[in-house]
mmCIF file of all heavy atoms in Angstrom:
data_model
loop_
_atom_site.group_PDB
_atom_site.id
_atom_site.type_symbol
_atom_site.label_atom_id
_atom_site.label_comp_id
_atom_site.label_asym_id
_atom_site.label_seq_id
_atom_site.Cartn_x
_atom_site.Cartn_y
_atom_site.Cartn_z
ATOM 1 N N GLY A 1 0.800 -1.220 0.000
ATOM 2 C CA GLY A 1 0.000 0.000 0.000
ATOM 3 C C GLY A 1 0.832 1.269 0.000
ATOM 4 O O GLY A 1 0.301 2.356 0.210
ATOM 5 N N ILE A 2 2.117 1.151 -0.236
ATOM 6 C CA ILE A 2 3.000 2.310 -0.193
ATOM 7 C C ILE A 2 2.727 3.258 -1.358
ATOM 8 O O ILE A 2 2.722 4.475 -1.192
ATOM 9 C CB ILE A 2 4.471 1.859 -0.145
ATOM 10 C CG1 ILE A 2 4.708 1.188 1.217
ATOM 11 C CG2 ILE A 2 5.436 3.024 -0.369
ATOM 12 C CD1 ILE A 2 5.927 0.350 1.304
ATOM 13 N N GLY A 3 2.461 2.698 -2.538
ATOM 14 C CA GLY A 3 2.139 3.540 -3.689
ATOM 15 C C GLY A 3 0.918 4.402 -3.419
ATOM 16 O O GLY A 3 0.908 5.606 -3.720
ATOM 17 N N LYS A 4 -0.107 3.825 -2.828
ATOM 18 C CA LYS A 4 -1.305 4.586 -2.495
ATOM 19 C C LYS A 4 -0.988 5.667 -1.456
ATOM 20 O O LYS A 4 -1.473 6.790 -1.546
ATOM 21 C CB LYS A 4 -2.417 3.662 -1.988
ATOM 22 C CG LYS A 4 -3.715 4.416 -1.697
ATOM 23 C CD LYS A 4 -4.806 3.498 -1.205
ATOM 24 C CE LYS A 4 -6.125 4.180 -0.998
ATOM 25 N NZ LYS A 4 -6.095 5.505 -0.376
ATOM 26 N N ALA A 5 -0.162 5.336 -0.468
ATOM 27 C CA ALA A 5 0.221 6.318 0.552
ATOM 28 C C ALA A 5 0.964 7.494 -0.086
ATOM 29 O O ALA A 5 0.738 8.654 0.287
ATOM 30 C CB ALA A 5 1.077 5.657 1.629
ATOM 31 N N ILE A 6 1.840 7.205 -1.046
ATOM 32 C CA ILE A 6 2.554 8.276 -1.754
ATOM 33 C C ILE A 6 1.549 9.164 -2.477
ATOM 34 O O ILE A 6 1.590 10.395 -2.358
ATOM 35 C CB ILE A 6 3.562 7.694 -2.773
ATOM 36 C CG1 ILE A 6 4.693 6.953 -2.068
ATOM 37 C CG2 ILE A 6 4.118 8.799 -3.684
ATOM 38 C CD1 ILE A 6 5.526 6.077 -3.003
ATOM 39 N N MET A 7 0.647 8.545 -3.220
ATOM 40 C CA MET A 7 -0.333 9.308 -4.004
ATOM 41 C C MET A 7 -1.238 10.146 -3.107
ATOM 42 O O MET A 7 -1.510 11.313 -3.394
ATOM 43 C CB MET A 7 -1.155 8.366 -4.876
ATOM 44 C CG MET A 7 -0.355 7.672 -5.963
ATOM 45 S SD MET A 7 0.328 8.820 -7.180
ATOM 46 C CE MET A 7 -1.187 9.370 -7.962
ATOM 47 N N ASP A 8 -1.718 9.553 -2.014
ATOM 48 C CA ASP A 8 -2.588 10.294 -1.089
ATOM 49 C C ASP A 8 -1.880 11.533 -0.555
ATOM 50 O O ASP A 8 -2.450 12.623 -0.515
ATOM 51 C CB ASP A 8 -3.023 9.407 0.083
ATOM 52 C CG ASP A 8 -4.021 8.330 -0.310
ATOM 53 O OD1 ASP A 8 -4.578 8.381 -1.435
ATOM 54 O OD2 ASP A 8 -4.243 7.411 0.514
ATOM 55 N N ARG A 9 -0.628 11.368 -0.149
ATOM 56 C CA ARG A 9 0.129 12.496 0.415
ATOM 57 C C ARG A 9 0.419 13.548 -0.650
ATOM 58 O O ARG A 9 0.298 14.748 -0.389
ATOM 59 C CB ARG A 9 1.434 11.981 1.041
ATOM 60 C CG ARG A 9 2.141 13.021 1.870
ATOM 61 C CD ARG A 9 1.359 13.315 3.152
ATOM 62 N NE ARG A 9 2.116 14.217 3.985
ATOM 63 C CZ ARG A 9 1.745 15.472 4.250
ATOM 64 N NH1 ARG A 9 0.617 15.945 3.778
ATOM 65 N NH2 ARG A 9 2.482 16.241 5.012
ATOM 66 N N LEU A 10 0.794 13.121 -1.870
ATOM 67 C CA LEU A 10 1.036 14.085 -2.943
ATOM 68 C C LEU A 10 -0.231 14.873 -3.257
ATOM 69 O O LEU A 10 -0.178 16.098 -3.458
ATOM 70 C CB LEU A 10 1.553 13.379 -4.203
ATOM 71 C CG LEU A 10 2.963 12.810 -4.131
ATOM 72 C CD1 LEU A 10 3.261 11.999 -5.392
ATOM 73 C CD2 LEU A 10 4.003 13.903 -3.941
ATOM 74 N N GLU A 11 -1.369 14.202 -3.300
ATOM 75 C CA GLU A 11 -2.630 14.897 -3.576
ATOM 76 C C GLU A 11 -2.985 15.857 -2.449
ATOM 77 O O GLU A 11 -3.473 16.960 -2.706
ATOM 78 C CB GLU A 11 -3.749 13.887 -3.818
ATOM 79 C CG GLU A 11 -3.604 13.166 -5.144
ATOM 80 C CD GLU A 11 -4.679 12.113 -5.377
ATOM 81 O OE1 GLU A 11 -5.595 11.956 -4.533
ATOM 82 O OE2 GLU A 11 -4.602 11.431 -6.426
ATOM 83 N N GLN A 12 -2.729 15.487 -1.197
ATOM 84 C CA GLN A 12 -2.958 16.399 -0.069
ATOM 85 C C GLN A 12 -2.119 17.665 -0.224
ATOM 86 O O GLN A 12 -2.617 18.782 -0.027
ATOM 87 C CB GLN A 12 -2.591 15.732 1.260
ATOM 88 C CG GLN A 12 -3.533 14.680 1.740
ATOM 89 C CD GLN A 12 -2.959 13.936 2.963
ATOM 90 O OE1 GLN A 12 -1.850 14.210 3.426
ATOM 91 N NE2 GLN A 12 -3.724 12.981 3.468
ATOM 92 N N LEU A 13 -0.846 17.491 -0.547
ATOM 93 C CA LEU A 13 0.047 18.636 -0.714
ATOM 94 C C LEU A 13 -0.398 19.502 -1.895
ATOM 95 O O LEU A 13 -0.342 20.736 -1.816
ATOM 96 C CB LEU A 13 1.486 18.167 -0.905
ATOM 97 C CG LEU A 13 2.116 17.452 0.298
ATOM 98 C CD1 LEU A 13 3.467 16.860 -0.077
ATOM 99 C CD2 LEU A 13 2.244 18.387 1.490
ATOM 100 N N ALA A 14 -0.830 18.867 -2.964
ATOM 101 C CA ALA A 14 -1.296 19.605 -4.133
ATOM 102 C C ALA A 14 -2.507 20.467 -3.778
ATOM 103 O O ALA A 14 -2.563 21.651 -4.134
ATOM 104 C CB ALA A 14 -1.642 18.635 -5.264
ATOM 105 N N LYS A 15 -3.457 19.890 -3.061
ATOM 106 C CA LYS A 15 -4.649 20.657 -2.644
ATOM 107 C C LYS A 15 -4.251 21.804 -1.712
ATOM 108 O O LYS A 15 -4.746 22.916 -1.848
ATOM 109 C CB LYS A 15 -5.659 19.743 -1.950
ATOM 110 C CG LYS A 15 -6.380 18.819 -2.907
ATOM 111 C CD LYS A 15 -7.445 18.035 -2.146
ATOM 112 C CE LYS A 15 -7.533 16.631 -2.637
ATOM 113 N NZ LYS A 15 -8.478 15.806 -1.904
ATOM 114 N N ARG A 16 -3.352 21.513 -0.790
ATOM 115 C CA ARG A 16 -2.872 22.546 0.134
ATOM 116 C C ARG A 16 -2.300 23.735 -0.633
ATOM 117 O O ARG A 16 -2.482 24.884 -0.251
ATOM 118 C CB ARG A 16 -1.790 21.953 1.046
ATOM 119 C CG ARG A 16 -1.117 22.967 1.966
ATOM 120 C CD ARG A 16 0.200 22.481 2.511
ATOM 121 N NE ARG A 16 1.241 22.499 1.481
ATOM 122 C CZ ARG A 16 2.450 21.970 1.632
ATOM 123 N NH1 ARG A 16 2.768 21.345 2.747
ATOM 124 N NH2 ARG A 16 3.339 22.045 0.655
ATOM 125 N N ASP A 17 -1.623 23.419 -1.741
ATOM 126 C CA ASP A 17 -0.965 24.460 -2.527
ATOM 127 C C ASP A 17 -1.851 25.032 -3.635
ATOM 128 O O ASP A 17 -1.371 25.745 -4.513
ATOM 129 C CB ASP A 17 0.345 23.918 -3.104
ATOM 130 C CG ASP A 17 1.368 23.616 -2.003
ATOM 131 O OD1 ASP A 17 1.230 24.153 -0.882
ATOM 132 O OD2 ASP A 17 2.298 22.841 -2.272
ATOM 133 N N GLY A 18 -3.156 24.705 -3.600
ATOM 134 C CA GLY A 18 -4.111 25.354 -4.487
ATOM 135 C C GLY A 18 -4.480 24.623 -5.765
ATOM 136 O O GLY A 18 -5.219 25.147 -6.594
ATOM 137 N N ALA A 19 -4.003 23.401 -5.943
ATOM 138 C CA ALA A 19 -4.338 22.658 -7.169
ATOM 139 C C ALA A 19 -5.790 22.181 -7.129
ATOM 140 O O ALA A 19 -6.302 21.782 -6.082
ATOM 141 C CB ALA A 19 -3.403 21.470 -7.335
ATOM 142 N N THR A 20 -6.439 22.213 -8.283
ATOM 143 C CA THR A 20 -7.810 21.730 -8.396
ATOM 144 C C THR A 20 -7.892 20.448 -9.218
ATOM 145 O O THR A 20 -8.916 19.780 -9.235
ATOM 146 C CB THR A 20 -8.716 22.800 -9.036
ATOM 147 O OG1 THR A 20 -8.152 23.198 -10.288
ATOM 148 C CG2 THR A 20 -8.842 24.011 -8.118
ATOM 149 N N ASN A 21 -6.818 20.126 -9.927
ATOM 150 C CA ASN A 21 -6.766 18.867 -10.664
ATOM 151 C C ASN A 21 -5.318 18.398 -10.727
ATOM 152 O O ASN A 21 -4.402 19.146 -10.418
ATOM 153 C CB ASN A 21 -7.410 18.990 -12.051
ATOM 154 C CG ASN A 21 -6.883 20.158 -12.839
ATOM 155 O OD1 ASN A 21 -5.722 20.170 -13.242
ATOM 156 N ND2 ASN A 21 -7.708 21.157 -13.065
ATOM 157 N N ALA A 22 -5.170 17.139 -11.121
ATOM 158 C CA ALA A 22 -3.847 16.531 -11.151
ATOM 159 C C ALA A 22 -3.640 15.798 -12.463
ATOM 160 O O ALA A 22 -4.595 15.338 -13.087
ATOM 161 C CB ALA A 22 -3.689 15.555 -9.982
ATOM 162 N N LYS A 23 -2.366 15.703 -12.840
ATOM 163 C CA LYS A 23 -2.014 14.903 -14.008
ATOM 164 C C LYS A 23 -0.698 14.201 -13.722
ATOM 165 O O LYS A 23 0.073 14.622 -12.855
ATOM 166 C CB LYS A 23 -1.904 15.768 -15.266
ATOM 167 C CG LYS A 23 -0.731 16.731 -15.278
ATOM 168 C CD LYS A 23 -0.696 17.508 -16.583
ATOM 169 C CE LYS A 23 0.489 18.456 -16.639
ATOM 170 N NZ LYS A 23 0.550 19.168 -17.918
ATOM 171 N N LEU A 24 -0.466 13.127 -14.465
ATOM 172 C CA LEU A 24 0.786 12.400 -14.349
ATOM 173 C C LEU A 24 1.017 11.614 -15.621
ATOM 174 O O LEU A 24 0.081 11.346 -16.380
ATOM 175 C CB LEU A 24 0.781 11.483 -13.117
ATOM 176 C CG LEU A 24 -0.312 10.418 -13.010
ATOM 177 C CD1 LEU A 24 0.075 9.133 -13.736
ATOM 178 C CD2 LEU A 24 -0.577 10.100 -11.553
ATOM 179 N N HIS A 25 2.263 11.287 -15.858
ATOM 180 C CA HIS A 25 2.642 10.384 -16.940
ATOM 181 C C HIS A 25 2.868 9.029 -16.278
ATOM 182 O O HIS A 25 3.901 8.804 -15.657
ATOM 183 C CB HIS A 25 3.914 10.850 -17.647
ATOM 184 C CG HIS A 25 3.738 12.116 -18.411
ATOM 185 N ND1 HIS A 25 4.782 12.734 -19.051
ATOM 186 C CD2 HIS A 25 2.650 12.878 -18.649
ATOM 187 C CE1 HIS A 25 4.337 13.838 -19.651
ATOM 188 N NE2 HIS A 25 3.047 13.938 -19.406
ATOM 189 N N GLY A 26 1.886 8.140 -16.387
ATOM 190 C CA GLY A 26 1.974 6.838 -15.743
ATOM 191 C C GLY A 26 2.527 5.791 -16.695
ATOM 192 O O GLY A 26 2.130 5.739 -17.863
#
């Protein structure tokens, strides 16, 4: 579940910093 933990934390930080959407090259 480490990948999910990374993603959850990155999304939290993104929202904190004002992001309304996310993108990635998967």
Side-chain angles (χ1 to χ4, degrees):
I2 292 163
K4 183 180 184 318
I6 293 166
M7 294 296 292
D8 289 348
R9 191 70 175 113
L10 290 173
E11 289 178 3
Q12 287 171 359
L13 295 172
K15 287 185 218 177
R16 174 198 74 189
D17 294 340
T20 55
N21 51 68
K23 69 178 181 178
L24 58 86
H25 292 176

